């Protein structure tokens, strides 16, 4: 009876064999259990690790990016006593300020905005809502001309008709502050040298008579002339024709950047902010000392 030989106690030699077999079975069981555990672990553990390292940061800015995509066209805010809709007209200026040239609906854009907000002690959520926009607008406005003193006659010169969008403009309407004019001419030379702008020019580095882009639409304005303009368009509001205009200094130039030269309608400004010349100004004008007035794509002030 072979089975009896395995009965414990039947024989000391068999007993020893039984203990060894039992130990082997136990070890095998533990190993198998351990293997089962370690085999079942890999699919679970990395999944946990991925969600721990990847999730928080991008998902925070993903929702900001979604909000920005809608605020860009829909945000209601007020400027100069007028209700405004969205901030898409300022994409380029915002991009320049944040040093971030990705689409405003991206998480990278939201992250850059959050960094800018943090630097200024604002809530760094990366959402370009009214608070964030007002902070950016204040920053732009603070970079504008600080000395608003009325130009004295000796500070002004009469620029040639060839620099003007309307070459029939009278002498008194072609006055420019002297250092501003020098800076303007340097900027024109640089713009002509950029082949992507395809500006028609003369052999001596001037804009050709037939070229309209970057010609001066308006420069120095006397108080009397500004009062006249205001009487002609009484509904322009404080965002339009200022009572205390920077044009009194002779350091503000309205340049032709496309569309209807100086029309603040959103549809007109949408054309202007998309011209190569305007893009070039946003990226380059500061090198020549010119800063923008965000609301009027044509208006640039010489701040040096
Ligand atoms: Zn202006």
């Amino acid at each position: 009876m072979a089975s009896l030989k395995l009965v414990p106690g039947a024989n000391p030699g068999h007993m020893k064999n039984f203990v060894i077999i039992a130990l082997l079975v136990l070890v095998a069981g533990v190993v198998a259990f351990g293997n089962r555990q370690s085999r079942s672990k890999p699919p679970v553990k990395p999944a946990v690790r991925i969600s721990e390292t990847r999730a928080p940061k991008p998902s925070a800015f993903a929702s900001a990016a979604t909000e920005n995509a809608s605020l860009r066209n829909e945000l209601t805010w007020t400027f100069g006593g007028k209700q405004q809709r969205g901030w898409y007209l300022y994409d380029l200026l915002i991009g320049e300020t944040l040093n971030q040239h990705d689409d405003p609906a991206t998480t990278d854009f939201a992250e850059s905005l959050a960094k800018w907000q943090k630097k200024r002690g604002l809530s760094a959520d990366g959402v370009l809502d009214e608070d964030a926009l007002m902070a950016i607008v204040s920053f732009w406005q603070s970079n504008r001309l600080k000395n608003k003193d009325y130009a004295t006659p000796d500070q002004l010169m009469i620029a040639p008709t060839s620099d003007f969008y309307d070459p029939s403009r009278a002498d008194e309407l072609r006055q420019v502050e002297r250092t501003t004019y020098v800076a303007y001419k340097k900027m024109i030379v640089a713009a002509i040298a950029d082949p992507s702008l395809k500006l028609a020019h003369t052999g001596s580095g001037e804009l050709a008579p037939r070229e309209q882009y970057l010609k001066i639409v308006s420069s120095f304005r006397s108080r009397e002339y500004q009062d006249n303009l205001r009487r002609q368009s009484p509904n322009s509001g404080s965002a339009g024709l200022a009572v205390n205009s920077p044009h009194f200094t002779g350091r503000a130039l309205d340049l032709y950047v496309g569309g209807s030269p100086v029309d603040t309608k959103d549809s007109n400004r949408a054309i202007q902010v998309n011209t190569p010349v305007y893009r070039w100004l946003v990226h380059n004008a500061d090198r020549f000392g010119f800063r923008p007035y965000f609301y009027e794509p044509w208006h640039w002030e010489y701040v040096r």
Side-chain angles (χ1 to χ4, degrees):
M1 307 266 281
S3 65
L4 279 177
K5 286 183 183 166
L6 289 172
V7 173
N11 173 303
H14 284 151
M15 179 59 184
K16 201 173 155 197
N17 283 346
F18 176 79
V19 170
I20 289 168
I21 288 163
L23 279 173
L24 282 175
V25 166
L26 188 67
V27 167
V30 167
V31 168
F33 180 71
N35 278 347
R36 213 169 27 248
Q37 260 200 335
S38 63
R39 232 183 281 124
S40 67
K41 268 177 189 170
V44 176
K45 227 181 172 183
V48 169
R49 238 182 276 129
I50 286 165
S51 66
E52 274 169 0
T53 54
R54 232 198 249 158
K57 227 175 141 193
S59 73
F61 289 115
S63 79
T66 307
E67 278 195 70
N68 287 339
S70 120
L71 291 170
R72 180 176 177 264
N73 298 307
E74 308 294 342
L75 178 71
T76 301
W77 53 292
T78 305
F79 183 75
K82 275 186 179 174
Q83 197 176 81
Q84 315 287 332
R85 194 170 172 85
W87 41 260
Y88 63 94
L89 291 170
Y90 316 110
D91 281 355
L92 268 190
L93 290 173
I94 294 168
E96 196 72 8
T97 299
L98 303 181
N99 196 22
Q100 164 58 258
H101 303 288
D102 282 349
D103 188 286
T106 60
T107 53
D108 281 355
F109 176 91
E111 193 170 352
S112 296
L113 174 62
K115 277 182 198 149
W116 191 89
Q117 289 171 313
K118 195 178 175 190
K119 253 195 290 179
R120 276 154 189 83
L122 304 164
S123 124
D125 56 8
V127 177
L128 221 172
D129 55 10
E130 187 170 4
D131 281 352
L133 183 62
M134 288 298 106
I136 292 173
V137 165
S138 299
F139 172 72
W140 290 335
Q141 296 290 67
S142 73
N143 287 333
R144 292 180 61 190
L145 200 56
K146 292 196 173 60
N147 184 352
K148 300 269 185 68
D149 290 350
Y150 200 86
T152 56
D154 62 299
Q155 291 175 322
L156 299 171
M157 51 152 310
I158 296 171
T161 56
S162 55
D163 290 321
F164 281 76
Y165 178 77
D166 170 12
S168 71
R169 212 167 160 84
D171 283 8
E172 68 267 26
L173 295 181
R174 299 199 320 272
Q175 298 181 89
V176 185
E177 189 274 327
R178 292 171 189 280
T179 61
T180 304
Y181 184 72
V182 172
Y184 165 73
K185 296 299 274 186
K186 277 188 191 155
M187 186 164 74
I188 292 303
V189 169
I192 286 171
D194 185 333
S196 74
L197 297 183
K198 299 186 183 80
L199 293 169
H201 57 92
T202 67
S204 53
E206 309 250 334
L207 293 170
R210 70 172 188 281
E211 184 57 68
Q212 293 185 306
Y213 282 115
L214 293 178
K215 291 263 176 85
I216 303 170
V217 176
S218 180
S219 48
F220 169 74
R221 292 181 203 150
S222 68
R223 205 160 264 138
E224 300 73 39
Y225 182 75
Q226 183 82 357
D227 287 348
N228 247 326
L229 286 180
R230 284 170 56 79
R231 269 194 292 275
Q232 284 162 22
S233 55
N235 299 320
S236 67
S238 53
L241 292 158
V243 180
N244 212 349
S245 172
H247 284 278
F248 295 157
T249 66
R251 292 170 168 266
L253 298 181
D254 291 346
L255 304 176
Y256 185 69
V257 293
S260 174
V262 293
D263 179 349
T264 54
K265 271 197 210 82
D266 285 6
S267 56
N268 185 57
R269 294 190 295 152
I271 293 167
Q272 295 178 323
V273 299
N274 281 302
T275 61
V277 154
Y278 180 73
R279 291 173 168 272
W280 188 89
L281 284 172
V282 170
H283 296 316
N284 295 283
D286 196 62
R287 287 197 283 133
F288 302 93
F290 287 94
R291 298 263 172 86
Y293 171 35
F294 80 101
Y295 199 74
E296 299 179 349
W298 56 84
H299 181 104
W300 295 82
E301 295 172 4
Y302 184 62
V303 299
R304 286 202 190 135

